[in-house]
Every structure is written in C-alpha cells, then in structure tokens.
Amino acid sequence: MSEQQGSAAEPYRAHVALSTSSLYPLGVPETFEAAVELGYDSVEVLVTHERMSQLNHQLRDLVQRHQLPISTIHAPTLLLTQQVWGKSWTKIQMAAALTEQVGAEVVVVHPPFRWQRKYASNFVEGVRVVSEATGVKISVENMYPWRVRGRDTVVYAPHYSPLGQDYDWVTWDFSHAATARMDSLAAIQELGPRLGHVHLTDGSGETTADEHLLPGHGVQPVAESLQHLAATRWQGVIGVEVSTRRSTSTEERTQWLAESLDFARRHTTPAEDAPAEDAPAEDAPADGAPADEAPGG
C-alpha cells in the first residue's frame, strides 16, 4: 500500500484496514459496508468457516462492488479454524494463493501449536519457502502464553514471541502483547524493517483472555507505537482488529469502529501535518470498552 502512503517528499498517510473479525459474528459483506461507510482504506479478511471468506471470486465481486481493496488475508490458523482447508501447510499455501487472486499483499499466520510437531519442526524455514515461491509476504503473528493453574504455559512453537526468531516478516498484535505482558513499542522498535503488519487493538494486561479492546482502552503504548511508525514512515498496513461483540446496537458498533479508525489517523499524522484544532485528546479507558474472546488474529 506504499502508493497511498506516499514518497518521502509527501505527507505520510498510514493505510488502515478493517478486519472482518471486528464485526464477528457478522461476515465479509457487512465488513465491506462498514469499511466504506467509515472511510477505511481496505479490508482484512480472516478466513473462517464462512464460505465467502474462502472464495476468491466472491471476494473479488465485493472489491468491485464497493471499490475497496483487500489488503490482507489472515490464514485459518486459529484454534477454532483448525478444520478449515485441511492440513497446516495447505492452509498457508491456499492463503498465499488467495492473497494473489484477490490482489492483497500480506498473509498473516499464527505459529504452530506445540502438539503440531511435524508442522512446527520446519515452520520458520517453511514459511520462508512458501513466501519466496509465491512472492507473497507471509507475516507471523505474536501470540501469548496460556495460563494453567496460575502458571504460564508456552503452547506455541518455536515460541509465542517472534522476537529472536528468524522470521522475515512479523505481525504485531497489541492485544496479544497485553496478554503476554510485553512492551509493544520496544518490540516494534526491535523488529525494525521486519515488521510486516500491525493489528490495531489493546488489552488490559490483567487477564489471560485475548481481549481485543479498542486502541487506547488498555495499557499498551499503542499511541506511541503508531507515532513511531509514522516517524519512520513505515509502509505496511494497520489492520483494526477489535472486538465489538458486546456492543448493544449497530450504532454503538459503528461508533467503536469509527473511534478505532480515528485513533489510527490521529496517531499516525505527524505533528507538522495535523490541523491545530485537532490536538490529540487523552485516550483514557472508557466504560463499555469491548473485552471478549471473539475470533482475532
């Protein structure tokens, strides 16, 4: 999405996508409608059991109808999508093919579970091989430990943290970072040019749940991280991936999605480019911020 972000001589404008997981249990068509209405730049499609999320011709029809691109395909590597597209490597290969077919740029994948021993044994190199063979950026997402009887248990291989792993590309999710009690700004700075994608969300850091709060409603340095990306003119996609399942109406859900987009815009606009009257307000936690375990990447 570098064309929309501009060259070094032009004002920086971050590319912000709306993930289909943000409207769960609604589907892909509803996500496109919301994205167009609110002014998002593209859609991120999480491949699930919903057939439309898997079919390139239907996705292309939506792109044409709404004149809005798909920037990202999230492979069905979640625990709840284990039955989608069969074996693990098949999932990644099919996600890469779908990415090419719909004109997207990035595939987001989760690291293997430890019990997927054969898959995990060559995961790092295998991802690189598929990426090089297809020309598609495959970006491995940070995850978090599971807590059993009060103790952290690492269920992902080689690890839930991509730091120190030999991935070409990494997706950074602020909610996952909160659950893992990691510092997102430090991690993003450490990843540098290997940061391939961002999931914009937040978390309280007080629960084992993957909360996917609205950005600014948790404890992660989300604003500071976005400001860092803008300062370095990062050329990736920021995918809004928040939980709206606890919204009490269509209007409230729309308000939450609009707030998330506004947060992304405000904190990726360099100070010299921001209108004086649009000085950022305090992003304090608000009552009613969503916090549940909706599908998230």
Side-chain angles (χ1 to χ4, degrees):
M1 299 300 158
S2 56
E3 290 182 4
Q4 290 153 319
Q5 289 168 321
S7 68
E10 299 172 342
Y12 179 82
R13 185 178 186 276
H15 184 104
V16 186
L18 179 60
S19 171
T20 56
S21 66
S22 294
L23 278 86
Y24 181 85
L26 299 179
V28 181
E30 292 85 354
T31 304
F32 267 89
E33 291 168 5
V36 170
E37 177 186 351
L38 295 172
Y40 280 82
D41 297 312
S42 66
V43 167
E44 174 174 339
V45 176
L46 171 62
V47 177
T48 65
H49 296 85
E50 181 191 6
R51 286 291 291 164
M52 184 171 285
S53 71
Q54 306 173 24
L55 301 176
N56 76 79
H57 62 281
Q58 292 198 22
L59 293 176
R60 291 202 307 268
D61 285 346
L62 286 171
V63 169
Q64 281 295 108
R65 185 183 315 157
H66 295 285
Q67 291 297 292
L68 192 72
I70 295 171
S71 57
T72 312
I73 296 293
H74 193 311
T77 49
L78 287 70
L79 190 61
L80 61 81
T81 58
Q82 288 300 292
Q83 303 307 312
V84 178
W85 285 355
K87 296 182 179 180
S88 300
W89 284 119
T90 302
K91 294 174 186 289
I92 293 181
Q93 290 165 345
M94 290 183 69
L98 183 61
T99 298
E100 290 185 286
Q101 291 162 354
V102 301
E105 296 185 357
V106 183
V107 174
V108 174
V109 301
H110 289 185
F113 294 106
R114 286 196 174 274
W115 57 80
Q116 297 174 301
R117 294 183 180 178
K118 186 175 180 180
Y119 176 46
S121 66
N122 65 337
F123 177 72
V124 176
E125 182 58 28
V127 164
R128 180 175 293 116
V129 168
V130 175
S131 182
E132 291 177 350
T134 60
V136 170
K137 182 188 295 183
I138 300 178
S139 190
V140 182
E141 189 166 5
N142 64 306
M143 299 303 293
Y144 48 88
W146 290 6
R147 294 191 179 99
V148 180
R149 297 176 183 175
R151 301 183 62 180
D152 286 358
T153 302
V154 178
V155 297
Y156 296 99
H159 200 268
Y160 63 81
S161 171
L163 303 181
Q165 307 300 328
D166 190 26
Y167 298 128
D168 290 338
W169 302 103
V170 169
T171 293
W172 194 260
D173 183 299
F174 291 97
S175 176
H176 296 176
T179 305
R181 297 169 183 166
M182 298 181 71
D183 183 333
S184 288
L185 177 58
I188 286 172
Q189 290 172 333
E190 180 176 337
L191 288 169
R194 294 198 300 138
L195 182 67
H197 190 64
V198 167
H199 278 160
L200 182 59
T201 179
D202 210 336
S204 69
E206 298 176 351
T207 174
T208 60
D210 182 14
E211 299 170 290
H212 283 277
L213 304 181
L214 303 188
H217 289 236
V219 298
Q220 283 290 301
V222 187
E224 295 86 347
S225 298
L226 294 184
Q227 290 160 10
H228 168 74
L229 295 180
T232 57
R233 301 185 71 86
W234 180 70
Q235 298 297 297
V237 173
I238 298 170
V240 168
E241 191 179 79
V242 297
S243 173
T244 61
R245 290 177 69 188
R246 292 190 179 180
S247 58
T248 57
S249 65
T250 300
E251 292 73 21
E252 185 173 41
R253 182 182 66 236
T254 299
Q255 177 187 342
W256 288 357
L257 297 177
E259 179 183 333
S260 299
L261 176 59
D262 177 69
F263 186 99
R265 294 280 185 236
R266 284 191 290 114
H267 293 294
T268 56
T269 301
E272 61 271 18
D273 297 329
E277 66 272 21
D278 290 339
E282 290 293 327
D283 293 300
D287 292 338
D292 62 359
E293 290 127 26

